[in-house]
Amino acid sequence: RGVPGASNANDVTSAAMAAAAASQDEVDYAEAGRQLLATVNLQDEGLGTPQRYSAYNAIWKHPETGAILYCGNADTAKTKKVLDAIGVRRIVFCQTSDGACHFERDPQFKYLKYPIGMWRQSDSCEDDAGTLAFFKPLFDFVEGETSAGNNVLIHCLAGAHRAGTASTACLMHLCDLGRVEATKIAKKLRPAIDPIGSFPQLLEKLEAAREAARAGAS
């Protein structure tokens, strides 16, 4: 003989599982993807699903000029044919001695040398004002160049950690996002992005500094 009530319990469990599955099926992933792209103004770019590791990816589009912000690797930054293809002459160089600004002497190019991986070796991020000052050159360069209609590439060696963190910070600034949402969107647009080591702490500092500035302005 079966255990009394076991059949009813199984029925309830099955019904709950079916309801949960139905609830999951109700998520419109296509719409979620469109909303994600709309957040960074890339909804009209015809972007497919990014590969796990691409040489570069678009992560933001200026809403007025249409200029694109890319995050990519060192190969992209040193290959003129690729830079021509994506229309980039403005580059954020996030490396140090492990890389080079290959077209620095070409007057068509403009570089921002931004060694974000060195942030802990300075005292600049000890408080909110210092953190905002640390990020100001990056934000000014990206915002200024894209406002002028110039595409920008942020790169490091792999386009994952240093450039990925700088790109995530840019999304926080340009789209007024918190670090968690900005990181989520950045990784969706470029799956290779992975703020590791002390970079999550740096993004936390940026988030806190932005919140403090917002509170002070209200």
Side-chain angles (χ1 to χ4, degrees):
R1 297 175 58 185
V3 178
S7 178
N8 290 339
N10 289 337
D11 290 344
V12 171
T13 301
S14 297
M17 293 176 63
S23 177
Q24 291 179 352
D25 290 341
E26 289 173 3
V27 176
D28 187 340
Y29 293 105
E31 178 59 26
R34 285 191 288 269
Q35 290 178 6
L36 183 150
L37 292 174
T39 300
V40 292
N41 307 311
L42 290 172
Q43 67 271 26
D44 298 323
E45 294 305 300
L47 300 175
T49 301
Q51 298 179 359
R52 179 65 186 87
Y53 187 78
S54 302
Y56 61 87
N57 298 96
I59 63 167
W60 181 77
K61 177 181 177 181
H62 194 286
E64 296 176 2
T65 68
I68 302 290
L69 175 63
Y70 294 94
C71 178
N73 63 15
D75 284 342
T76 299
K78 73 179 183 181
T79 307
K80 187 78 163 7
K81 185 176 181 180
V82 176
L83 295 176
D84 288 343
I86 60 177
V88 164
R89 292 293 183 272
R90 303 295 184 263
I91 298 175
V92 179
F93 175 72
C94 293
Q95 296 175 260
T96 51
S97 59
D98 64 322
C101 298
H102 295 278
F103 305 103
E104 192 170 16
R105 294 185 178 181
D106 187 330
Q108 293 184 357
F109 284 80
K110 182 187 292 187
Y111 284 84
L112 172 67
K113 296 179 180 179
Y114 192 72
I116 191 171
M118 308 286 288
W119 78 272
R120 297 189 74 172
Q121 299 182 26
S122 70
D123 298 331
S124 58
C125 295
E126 288 190 346
D127 56 24
D128 292 337
T131 299
L132 293 177
F134 176 79
F135 280 101
K136 189 175 188 301
L138 173 64
F139 296 160
D140 285 353
F141 184 85
V142 170
E143 201 163 20
E145 292 298 338
T146 55
S147 293
N150 298 316
N151 294 345
V152 175
L153 169 69
I154 301 176
H155 87 90
C156 59
L157 182 61
H161 309 131
R162 290 168 290 183
T165 300
S167 296
T168 301
C170 285
L171 289 184
M172 293 173 66
H173 173 71
L174 296 168
C175 303
D176 194 21
L177 300 172
R179 61 182 173 82
V180 172
E181 184 66 13
T183 302
K184 177 182 176 182
I185 290 175
K187 290 174 72 69
K188 286 279 189 181
L189 296 170
R190 179 168 175 77
I193 287 178
D194 185 18
I196 61 173
S198 65
F199 285 143
Q201 180 184 358
L202 179 59
L203 293 176
E204 288 177 8
K205 284 179 171 288
L206 176 59
E207 182 175 54
R210 283 168 46 80
E211 291 176 350
R214 188 180 295 111
S218 61

